[in-house]
Amino acid sequence: MQLRNRMKLELLSLPENVRLARVAVAAFASEIDYNVNDLEEIKVAVSEAVSNAIIHGYQQKPDGVVKLTASLFADALEIIIEDQGKGIKELEKALETNSSSDPERMGLGFVFMRSFMDEVELTSAPGEGTTVKMSKKLPGEAQAET
Amino acid sequence: MDLELKKMGSVLAVRVGGEFDLQAVDYCRQEIDQKIRAEGFKDILFDLERVTFIDSSGLGVILGRYRKAREKEGKVAISNNSSRVAKILELSGITRLIPVYPSTSQALKYLARGVG
């Protein structure tokens, strides 16, 4: 697949960087012909993935590093969010609603990521961290399929 | 994020503005819970009309307050007129637990009706 553009960011696991991550990705994606609604959905998906890295991966410790890579391919925008935190023991369980270890978070993060992106892939190993890879088709590509 | 807590009759009106995400939640939780403890509110209105962004962290604050209110037989309502926020509320399933009204006056009417 032909790479047209790429952005890489490394962020400390601080709550204020959740906003920075989503705004940076939205700016990167604004080069593409997405509508406002698509951009909002991308922002929510990024927000959820980075929040999960901070809350679950790094257990809210501020010195972890969250790596974000946004790549623009000919047919899709791909976003990869990686942490080297705690990792997830039971992947399937983590993807269920109400799975969150925090009673106030409802495990909704993956629900939003899956609803707003076309593909979401989660890889994780206990003690090694978690990687979320998600992609959204470019506007013309999404229409061509329907 | 801006937070405004206001007494409206027997209801605590929580007016949130701006971005309701992970950065906002600890402060929000503390302020709301402290106000509830100090003044004994049972019913809460979340006014989200000025919210420009919300994700599961923000929803978690609302859901957590809903659970606490239920323990005291209190009620929670949301007022929102943004389609952006409405989509997130719908998708999360929170609307099955907490009624959403297009204006604060309608939400307050619901809260004033007593149990039900």
Side-chain angles (χ1 to χ4, degrees):
Chain A
M1 220 183 294
Q2 194 199 341
L3 179 66
R4 287 164 48 185
N5 198 3
R6 175 164 285 162
M7 172 183 77
K8 285 191 180 199
L9 286 178
E10 280 195 8
L11 305 159
L12 279 182
S13 49
L14 298 166
E16 53 265 47
N17 285 340
V18 175
R19 177 181 189 277
L20 181 59
R22 67 170 177 264
V23 171
V25 173
F28 181 81
S30 67
E31 297 294 315
I32 311 159
D33 210 10
Y34 285 127
N35 60 35
V36 177
N37 194 39
D38 288 331
L39 289 174
E40 279 304 315
E41 293 184 350
I42 292 166
K43 277 165 77 174
V44 174
V46 170
S47 205
E48 297 297 350
V50 177
S51 296
N52 276 350
I54 295 172
I55 296 168
H56 301 298
Y58 293 120
Q59 310 274 292
Q60 307 246 39
K61 288 183 199 120
D63 55 353
V65 175
V66 182
K67 291 183 185 170
L68 187 158
T69 308
S71 305
L72 174 60
F73 292 103
D75 62 347
L77 169 71
E78 181 191 83
I79 301 161
I80 298 173
I81 287 153
E82 300 165 76
D83 70 65
Q84 290 174 310
K86 200 180 163 205
I88 303 167
K89 227 187 264 174
E90 294 170 275
L91 272 186
E92 286 305 313
K93 213 175 157 191
L95 292 168
E96 291 168 10
T97 320
N98 298 321
S99 66
S100 180
S101 48
D102 178 345
E104 293 202 357
R105 276 180 58 82
M106 302 155 73
L108 276 171
F110 287 110
V111 173
F112 289 146
M113 286 183 239
R114 283 171 154 177
S115 301
F116 294 152
M117 303 297 281
D118 294 310
E119 281 177 36
V120 179
E121 243 179 72
L122 182 67
T123 47
S124 188
E128 289 175 25
T130 302
T131 299
V132 179
K133 182 171 156 184
M134 47 196 182
S135 64
K136 194 174 183 78
K137 291 187 184 94
L138 301 194
E141 295 294 322
Q143 270 173 8
E145 279 203 4
T146 50
Chain B
M1 193 266 317
D2 317 309
L3 178 71
E4 196 184 304
L5 304 177
K6 207 166 147 189
K7 179 176 161 58
M8 295 182 93
S10 63
V11 174
L12 173 64
V14 178
R15 194 174 192 208
V16 187
E19 299 183 304
F20 200 6
D21 69 357
L22 186 62
Q23 195 185 357
V25 297
D26 281 348
Y27 171 71
C28 260
R29 241 184 241 135
Q30 278 166 21
E31 291 292 306
I32 298 167
D33 290 353
Q34 198 268 334
K35 191 86 175 165
I36 290 170
R37 269 198 306 274
E39 298 186 36
F41 289 105
K42 284 204 317 193
D43 300 330
I44 310 167
L45 162 67
F46 280 93
D47 174 356
L48 304 182
E49 289 174 27
R50 293 183 306 140
V51 167
T52 55
F53 178 89
I54 188 166
D55 62 13
S56 67
S57 298
L59 290 178
V61 172
I62 300 174
L63 189 80
R65 299 323 38 85
Y66 166 77
R67 286 183 176 148
K68 286 189 175 183
R70 292 279 291 179
E71 283 168 14
K72 294 189 290 182
E73 296 183 343
K75 293 199 296 179
V76 175
I78 295 172
S79 89
N80 167 58
N81 55 14
S82 139
S83 58
R84 187 183 290 181
V85 173
K87 185 163 71 178
I88 297 285
L89 295 175
E90 279 294 328
L91 198 58
S92 70
I94 207 169
T95 51
R96 291 197 295 267
L97 302 171
I98 305 172
V100 181
Y101 294 91
S103 70
T104 53
S105 59
Q106 282 167 286
L108 284 169
K109 259 186 215 163
Y110 158 77
L111 292 172
R113 278 207 298 268
V115 179

